Structures are given as structure tokens and as C-alpha cells.
Amino acid sequence: MKAVILCGGKGTRLKEETEYKPKPLVEIGGKPILWHIMKIYSYQGIKDFVLCLGYKGNMIKDYFLKLEEMSNDFVLDLKKNKIYHLSDEDELDVTIHFVDTGDDSMTGARIARIKKYVKMMKIFS
């Protein structure tokens, strides 16, 4: 089962926080809201996510690309060009599909743009 999370809005009601970062990256307890949401879902067995990116979506991509190194101790071997992680604190055991759905897209358009990444179930036969 996949969870679709809409991450493309501008978060205008949190203007003080979202002027420089997207709403999903606003921190609570030192971690972004999006991290907390995904952690809760993963505890319930949902470990496959589709993120509908828009406003400052590149910052969300960047956060997850750097998550392992920013959350844990590691050794960087420049000679071998390898990173060795020394611990796995705050590990998220999930798969994430990052889909750019447009900066100014409305909800329906975002959902329409991810349909190829989500297997649709036939409700009515």
C-alpha cells in the first residue's frame, strides 16, 4: 500500500516559517513535520510514499538525500570515495517517490500527475 502526501502548497498560514522553506520541512522537536508523518505511517506498516512536490520541492528532495549523513555519525573515506555510517539513529525504513507536480498546481492536478505512480484499485465492478 502507498501513501500519497501532498507537499506542494505554499503554506501561507505559516508565512513566518514557510517564507524560506516548504511547510513539510517546518520542524517540530528538531525534525520536519513530514518526517514525523512518515514515521507514524511506517509504524503502521505503510512504507511506500509518493510525495507530490511543488513549492520549494527541491528543498524536500535535498533534505531526504542528506538525511542519513545529517542524522548520524559517519566516516568519509576520500581515497575510496565511500561513506561508512557508524549508527542508524532516526532511520526511516521507507521508499519515497518524489514527483514534481508543479509550483502552482491545485490538489486535483497534483493527484492527476501521480496516477502513473499509484496503482489504482477498482472500487466498483
Side-chain angles (χ1 to χ4, degrees), residues 24-77:
L25 293 184
V26 171
E27 290 188 4
I28 298 174
K31 294 284 184 189
I33 293 170
L34 183 57
W35 183 91
H36 289 287
I37 291 169
M38 294 171 72
K39 193 75 165 174
I40 291 167
Y41 274 86
S42 70
Y43 281 141
Q44 302 302 317
I46 299 171
K47 296 178 181 265
D48 197 2
F49 295 90
V50 177
L51 302 184
C52 299
L53 303 176
Y55 176 71
K56 298 190 181 195
N58 59 330
M59 292 179 76
I60 295 171
K61 290 177 185 178
D62 191 53
Y63 173 79
F64 284 102
L65 287 171
K66 295 178 179 176
L67 179 62
E68 191 80 27
E69 284 73 28
M70 299 307 283
S71 299
N72 300 299
D73 296 333
F74 64 92
V75 174
L76 175 61
D77 185 337

